[in-house]
Amino acid sequence: MIFAIEVAIGGLLVGVMYSLVALGFVLIYKSSGVFNFAQGDMTLLAALALVGFLTIFPLWLAILAALVLMIALAIAIEAIVLRPLVARPPLALFMATIGLGFFLQGIGQGIWGTDPKGLDIGISDIPFKIKGLLISQFDLAGGALAGGLVFALVWFFQKSRTGRALRAVSDDHEAALSVGIPLRRAWAISWAIAGLVALVAGIMWGSRLGVQFSLSLIALKALPILILGGIDSIPGAIIAGLVVGASENLAEVFLGPYVGGGIQTFFPYLLALVVLWFKPYGMFGREIIERV
Amino acid sequence: MNQNPLLRVNNIEVVYEHVILVLKGVSLEVPEGGLVALLGANGAGKSTTLKAISNLLRAERGEVTKGVIEFMGNRIDRKDAAEVVRRGIVQVMEGRRKFEHLTVEDDLLTGAYSRRDTHLVKKDLDLVYSYFPRLAERRNVKTGYISGGEQQMVVIGRALMARPKLMLLDEPSMGLAPLLVQEIFDIVVRLNREEKVAILLAEQNAAMALQVARYGYIMENGRLVLDGDADTLRDNEDVREFYLGLTEIGKKSYRNVKHYKRRKRWLT
Ligand SMILES: Nc1ncnc2c1ncn2[C@@H]1O[C@H](COP(=O)(O)OP(=O)(O)O)[C@@H](O)[C@H]1O
Ligand SMILES: [Mg+2]
């Protein structure tokens, strides 16, 4: 039983980091109405940049520099990709993010190389005991950081004036424009936040798995979470991330041996499929409000 | 009608998608504190005129290609929409464009986004609730779930939260029951009188609009064809027949603009 709890807690901590990646998608979807295919590549770029900056700066300055880079990137994306596509069909925007993804990948690997790199942010991976439970120190730190960021983002969106404006933009961007909300700034802000999320995810996952091309594939982890939670729900992304993290870990440990392991990679999709059957908008996806 | 009007639209031309010419030489004025109606059938160009003023046009790939729009003596036809709001013009778009996943109160508060005097926002929220007591009751309900009339109140109240000098109201009567239309028009008149907000009201419902407006313009096919004091317009034979549906022969809809034009040509 203790072992099961340890497995579940380990899964939950990893799940928080999944939530974070999924949140990156949700934020962009809510504000620009587009599924941002480049989110994984933004994560890779952020991690690559951080590793690069670490060779010249101390840790805090390197993180700051990477953050500045992600914000500059957000402003550039707004000006170069989003602005010319105003009032075009959403599919055009989606295609543009695919192009953007390849572009970012190319830039990142062009500057910092394609060889796998380690990223050490100084948190050791020695497990420690709380009340008889073995818990990974690293996962705990990651979970706490991701959890703190998630909490801050939720507060920002629900309570701040800018957050309210971003929610308005996501409901009806022309109406938002009509009350004086500057769309360009709103888009730049939400992409900058997605950049911040990408950076934090890049730090956590990069120091876990190493920084290399495959880091951009953590976006695939986000897909079942988005299906489960609904692509436009912040609480949905959080809870679905936790559910996926815990359940895949439990499945791997307890069901894995019977089927030869490797359940972790497809279990979340299975779960998502089952949920879709019953809740087509995801567990928390916002319903399309239709009134006559 | 005035030496220094609040708003002066001078001979503007509007083109969508670089090729579709929709407004052809439109000129109109709104005096300080005025309540002016812009009447016309569906597709006449009323919304386009309002969007040219608020510059929401750009978001729809439209452009003012000729002419000048001045607000308080300054050109605004090259300013972006957020800047126009900051200068004191807010458009209430047609079709009750509430933010459906925001609560009534959050939706109203978005109207104050561009204001610097944030300490007065709370007071103005109470002001909006005093004009629309029903919204106060529903302040925590998402606007997607309230009635059509309440939604119209939300979008007007939200515009008021920006403390505009000029409100551009696009078809507030559309799709609402006559009693509700009356209620909303009464409040619009009160906002105009008590809060000194000038109003440019685009309407197909000419009878209703001419009841509250002091001056009116009539638009057809992207051109203004007639203007005058509301009383004069109400007594005008053509307006009575084609826009108010009042004629000896019987009720005619203003959809018969073609017929109207034919007759006009024949008259001149
Ligand atoms: N975004 C647009 N692109 C192209 N044509 C448009 C657009 N919006 C309106 N139009 C055209 O401009 C004309 C005037 O429309 P509109 O200003 O909405 O009229 P009204 O508000 O009086 O009903 C119509 O013929 C309409 O088809
Ligand atoms: Mg219209």
Side-chain angles (χ1 to χ4, degrees), chain A:
Chain A
M1 188 57 205
I2 291 220
F3 180 58
I5 294 174
E6 279 172 5
V7 171
I9 289 178
L12 283 175
L13 292 175
V14 174
V16 183
M17 293 193 262
Y18 288 162
S19 303
L20 192 62
V21 178
L23 259 189
F25 285 93
V26 173
L27 295 180
I28 295 294
Y29 186 83
K30 278 180 83 81
S31 66
S32 340
V34 59
F35 183 85
N36 177 20
F37 205 81
Q39 187 71 33
D41 303 293
M42 284 169 67
T43 308
L44 175 64
L45 183 76
L48 279 171
L50 181 62
V51 172
F53 288 135
L54 269 174
T55 58
I56 30 179
F57 298 135
L59 181 64
W60 67 271
L61 203 57
I63 291 180
L64 199 67
L67 184 61
V68 169
L69 177 77
M70 295 316 283
I71 291 170
L73 180 69
I75 294 168
I77 290 174
E78 189 284 315
I80 299 167
V81 183
L82 300 180
R83 206 179 302 166
L85 293 176
V86 166
R88 295 286 189 203
L91 188 64
L93 223 51
F94 174 67
M95 299 302 274
T97 68
I98 296 183
L100 178 68
F102 284 118
F103 176 75
L104 296 181
Q105 219 180 81
I107 287 278
Q109 298 187 335
I111 299 177
W112 290 291
T114 50
D115 48 313
K117 291 172 248 314
L119 173 59
D120 183 9
I121 51 167
I123 304 170
S124 62
D125 203 2
I126 311 160
F128 65 103
K129 262 186 150 50
I130 315 176
K131 300 201 168 157
L133 294 172
L134 267 182
I135 289 171
S136 152
Q137 197 172 334
F138 185 85
D139 286 350
L140 197 64
L145 183 61
L149 184 58
V150 165
F151 189 79
L153 286 175
V154 170
W155 181 88
F156 171 75
F157 265 81
Q158 294 304 319
K159 300 287 178 213
S160 77
R161 190 178 71 118
T162 307
R164 184 165 55 224
L166 294 183
R167 281 187 289 141
V169 169
S170 96
D171 260 358
D172 185 336
H173 67 254
E174 204 182 353
L177 198 59
S178 81
V179 291
I181 296 171
L183 281 188
R184 293 175 185 174
R185 198 188 311 161
W187 282 331
I189 290 175
S190 34
W191 280 75
I193 294 174
L196 168 71
V197 168
L199 175 61
V200 175
I203 294 174
M204 300 324 301
W205 288 103
S207 49
R208 211 159 199 265
L209 309 169
V211 177
Q212 57 198 312
F213 167 75
S214 64
L215 196 58
S216 65
L217 299 181
I218 57 159
L220 292 182
K221 271 288 182 210
L223 282 184
I225 295 171
L226 295 172
I227 297 170
L228 274 169
I231 188 164
D232 46 18
S233 165
I234 291 177
I238 298 167
I239 295 173
L242 295 175
V243 168
V244 165
S247 62
E248 72 170 15
N249 222 22
L250 287 167
E252 180 70 39
V253 171
F254 294 105
L255 302 179
Y258 302 105
V259 292
I263 284 192
Q264 226 158 12
T265 46
F266 67 86
F267 184 78
Y269 284 90
L270 217 65
L271 199 66
L273 217 74
V274 173
V275 167
L276 266 193
W277 244 322
F278 298 102
K279 307 270 294 184
Y281 298 119
M283 290 191 295
F284 299 88
R286 70 177 176 191
E287 66 283 48
I288 317 261
I289 300 179
E290 274 180 54
R291 286 196 50 119
V292 277

Side-chain angles (χ1 to χ4, degrees), chain B residues 116-181:
Chain B
R116 304 244 152 81
D117 50 352
T118 42
H119 59 290
L120 296 177
V121 168
K122 181 75 191 53
K123 211 177 105 245
D124 287 338
L125 187 62
D126 292 337
L127 181 78
V128 169
Y129 286 144
S130 76
Y131 279 101
F132 303 105
R134 274 207 261 168
L135 296 186
E137 290 163 30
R138 316 216 67 187
R139 57 178 12 144
N140 293 321
V141 182
K142 284 186 183 169
T143 59
Y145 292 112
I146 60 181
S147 73
E150 290 164 343
Q151 289 174 343
Q152 188 62 53
M153 295 175 186
V154 165
V155 292
I156 293 175
R158 179 218 276 165
L160 194 62
M161 288 300 291
R163 274 302 187 173
K165 297 185 190 72
L166 171 63
M167 205 185 272
L168 310 172
L169 265 178
D170 201 350
E171 308 223 22
S173 75
M174 193 197 270
L176 295 181
L179 262 176
L180 258 170
V181 174

Side-chain angles (χ1 to χ4, degrees), chain B residues 14-17 20-23 38-51 57 59-62 94 170-171 174 202-204 219 221-222:
Chain B
V14 167
V15 174
Y16 282 111
E17 312 267 357
I20 310 166
L21 177 65
V22 171
L23 295 191
L38 178 59
L39 308 173
N42 193 16
K46 304 180 297 295
S47 300
T48 302
T49 306
L50 299 194
K51 285 177 192 165
L57 217 47
E60 297 194 5
R61 311 188 80 79
E94 72 182 29
D170 201 350
E171 308 223 22
M174 193 197 270
E203 264 297 345
Q204 290 191 50
M219 183 169 238
N221 276 323

